[in-house]
């Protein structure tokens, strides 16, 4: 399978089908970008993660590749997100490099977690901790952590109140041999963060005492 080794979402043809439409453009892309994308496609991820390609933004950089993923348990989405790899062969002053990773992650919250004043700081520390936990070198991190609550009235009054956490972030992965960053490891770290906000326990080597959000079934039943 050419796709990153999580589970592919039902009803799609996977990354190979998605790539057919822009195969010629990909072949004409610079070698560092192609190598970075190939590494993303070869990453092996936790089985709870469903991952697929998605159309990337077209105006953020000369070259871009995007993935969307969800953490799924018992056919329910616990968290979802999008990761975009950007590449500018000329470099970018704001990035301090040629590559940039941009992400959006979302998860439902239990009410007691939504009211915790330290939650945004904790969630941001999860992002930096996920990268550091994989031993990754990166620079120029920036982003926001937003929590939102919905309360229902009138004909919707029977619905329970709902809260959500959203992390928007970007960082510059440091380039290695051939000017190519270890995008597979960055994807794995991103998936670590996605699983953490979904409330899944850590797997493999690492600190088993890491705090995660209490597991909660997401609003989208699959």
């Amino acid at each position: 399978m050419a796709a990153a080794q999580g589970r592919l979402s039902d009803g799609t043809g996977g990354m190979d089908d998605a790539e057919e439409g822009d195969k010629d453009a990909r072949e004409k892309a610079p070698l560092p970008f192609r190598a970075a994308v190939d590494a993303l496609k070869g990453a092996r991820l936790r089985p709870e993660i469903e991952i697929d390609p998605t159309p990337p933004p077209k105006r953020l950089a000369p070259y871009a590749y995007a993935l969307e993923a969800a953490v799924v348990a018992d056919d329910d989405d616990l968290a979802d997100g999008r990761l975009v790899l950007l590449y500018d062969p000329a470099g970018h002053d704001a990035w301090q490099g040629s590559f940039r990773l941009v992400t959006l992650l979302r998860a439902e919250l239990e009410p007691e977690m939504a009211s915790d004043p330290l939650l945004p700081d904790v969630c941001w520390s999860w992002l930096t901790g996920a990268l550091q936990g994989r031993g990754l070198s990166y620079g120029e991190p920036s982003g926001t952590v937003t929590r939102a609550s919905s309360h229902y009235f009138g004909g919707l009054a029977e619905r329970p109140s709902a809260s959500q956490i959203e992390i928007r972030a970007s960082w510059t992965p440091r380039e290695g041999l051939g000017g190519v960053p270890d995008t597979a490891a960055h994807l794995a770290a991103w998936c670590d963060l996605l699983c953490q906000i979904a409330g899944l326990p850590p797997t493999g080597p690492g600190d088993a005492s890491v705090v995660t959000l209490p597991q909660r079934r997401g609003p989208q039943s699959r």
Side-chain angles (χ1 to χ4, degrees):
M1 181 184 295
Q5 301 296 306
R7 290 190 296 163
L8 292 178
S9 300
D10 294 339
T12 68
M15 290 187 183
D16 290 339
D17 289 348
E19 289 172 353
E20 287 299 325
D22 60 356
K23 183 177 179 181
D24 291 341
R26 186 74 47 77
E27 290 177 348
K28 295 176 182 178
L31 181 58
F33 178 71
R34 284 185 282 146
V37 170
D38 287 343
L40 286 175
K41 295 189 297 182
R44 293 190 173 272
L45 311 174
R46 290 179 62 162
E48 299 93 342
I49 295 175
E50 295 188 356
I51 189 164
D52 276 307
T54 189
K58 297 184 180 299
R59 298 181 180 180
L60 296 181
Y63 303 93
Y65 185 80
L67 296 168
E68 60 183 5
V71 178
V72 180
D74 299 327
D75 293 326
D76 288 318
D77 287 359
L78 304 181
D80 60 67
R82 189 177 193 226
L83 183 68
V84 180
L85 175 69
L86 304 176
Y87 178 63
D88 187 339
H92 196 292
D93 290 341
W95 302 352
Q96 293 296 300
S98 299
F99 285 91
R100 188 75 171 172
L101 285 163
V102 182
T103 187
L104 165 66
L105 304 99
R106 296 168 298 199
E108 295 296 307
L109 292 175
E110 294 290 357
E112 61 271 20
M113 291 295 295
S115 62
D116 187 342
L118 296 179
L119 182 64
D121 299 275
V122 170
C123 287
W124 184 257
S125 73
W126 287 349
L127 169 63
T128 57
L131 294 169
Q132 293 165 3
R134 294 278 176 174
L136 293 169
S137 179
Y138 65 96
E140 309 305 318
S142 63
T144 62
V145 177
T146 305
R147 53 185 163 188
S149 297
S150 297
H151 302 270
Y152 300 95
F153 302 93
L156 302 177
E158 293 184 358
R159 292 189 183 183
S161 298
S163 298
Q164 185 181 72
I165 191 75
E166 179 181 278
I167 302 173
R168 293 177 180 267
S170 63
W171 65 95
T172 299
R174 295 306 185 203
E175 299 165 15
L177 294 176
V180 181
D182 188 353
T183 50
H186 281 271
L187 174 59
W190 180 76
C191 289
D192 290 343
L193 173 62
L194 189 62
C195 288
Q196 194 166 12
I197 69 169
L200 298 187
T203 61
D207 184 2
S209 67
V210 169
V211 177
T212 60
L213 292 182
Q215 186 169 326
R216 174 173 177 169
R217 294 291 181 264
Q220 299 178 359
S221 181
R222 302 179 67 84

